[in-house]
Amino acid sequence: MEHNLVHEVSDLYRLSLDDLEGLDKFGAVSANNLVLAIANSKQNSVERLLFGLGIRNVGAKVAKLISAQFGSLPAIAQASADEIAAIPGIGLVIGHSIAQYFATAQAQDLLNDFENLGVNMSYLSGTPVQTDTALSGKKVVITGKLTAMTRPEMTEWLESQGATVTNSVSKKTDILIAGEDAGSKLTKAQELGIEIWSEDQLRANMEQ
């Protein structure tokens, strides 16, 4: 950032109105809005913080799975590569990336900064992610018109079961959930021999 205001992620939480009003294109209103947004973000669930660290191979969905499993950023920082890799859908590549990141003195200093600045480092999401279900580690695609629930509701439930919901069908897809009037995604899944579930099959799984 200009004026060397931010060197580490934790520096964002130190920004003041005076810092921002001195920057180009930042008036009083814009500066105030940003400072408030940063202050509010201190209470976010930790998966967003983990994702924001920019650790290699750690996207938003991976960050949520890992945060749900370990419960806090300090616990993740203390976990071994093997412990992280044991989470369904994670693996050793990601496990090593995270373990190597938190093994550095810079990362440990960052954790101390977060604590001193009052940044939440715990997993707060209302629906915990389960890692020992039939859907754990599965890549799932939803297609067609849904009648029993909305697409966001279905996505939230699938992710709570440890599945990863993606938009396109590929050889890596494990399950296609097909609603009414499913089109090209259903055809492609059939061609690839991918397991196909109806909404009724999904509901039966939800009730188990």
Side-chain angles (χ1 to χ4, degrees):
M1 181 176 281
E2 294 180 41
H3 301 279
N4 295 316
L5 294 175
V6 176
H7 300 281
E8 301 289 348
V9 175
S10 57
D11 290 337
L12 287 169
Y13 299 104
R14 295 188 175 92
L15 291 176
S16 67
L17 285 174
D18 289 340
D19 292 329
L20 295 174
E21 287 179 355
L23 300 177
D24 292 340
K25 300 181 181 179
F26 265 95
V29 174
S30 297
N32 186 62
N33 288 341
L34 182 55
V35 168
L36 286 175
I38 291 172
N40 290 335
S41 74
K42 287 184 177 182
Q43 304 309 315
N44 286 340
S45 188
V46 73
E47 67 268 22
R48 298 179 69 173
L49 184 60
L50 178 60
F51 172 57
L53 294 178
I55 301 172
R56 188 176 182 182
N57 301 310
V58 179
K61 292 177 181 177
V62 165
K64 184 173 182 179
L65 276 173
I66 294 170
S67 298
Q69 178 70 13
F70 289 99
S72 72
L73 197 59
I76 296 168
Q78 293 171 11
S80 68
D82 287 339
E83 288 172 329
I84 297 168
I87 301 171
I90 301 302
L92 273 174
V93 172
I94 295 173
H96 282 303
S97 288
I98 294 173
Q100 289 169 3
Y101 176 86
F102 284 112
T104 65
Q106 184 178 8
Q108 295 304 312
D109 289 342
L110 198 56
L111 290 177
N112 291 331
D113 273 352
F114 288 147
E115 183 175 4
N116 293 332
L117 290 164
V119 179
N120 175 62
M121 292 191 285
S122 297
Y123 181 71
L124 302 176
S125 292
T127 305
V129 176
Q130 301 181 50
T131 58
D132 58 352
T133 73
L135 289 166
S136 295
K138 301 291 187 181
K139 295 186 183 299
V140 181
V141 175
I142 304 168
T143 190
K145 181 181 178 182
L146 306 176
T147 58
M149 64 182 75
T150 66
R151 193 173 296 259
E153 287 171 342
M154 184 177 289
T155 298
E156 181 179 0
W157 184 82
L158 288 166
E159 290 180 344
S160 77
Q161 299 299 298
T164 298
V165 180
T166 61
N167 292 322
S168 58
V169 174
S170 71
K171 292 180 180 179
K172 294 183 178 180
T173 303
D174 296 298
I175 299 170
L176 176 77
I177 298 173
E180 296 178 0
D181 301 322
S184 59
K185 290 181 181 179
L186 175 59
T187 301
K188 186 172 182 179
Q190 290 170 332
E191 291 172 350
L192 293 173
I194 291 167
E195 186 175 355
I196 298 169
W197 287 13
S198 65
E199 277 194 271
D200 287 339
Q201 286 174 283
L202 178 64
R203 283 199 298 272
N205 190 287
M206 293 173 73
E207 292 168 1
Q208 290 179 0

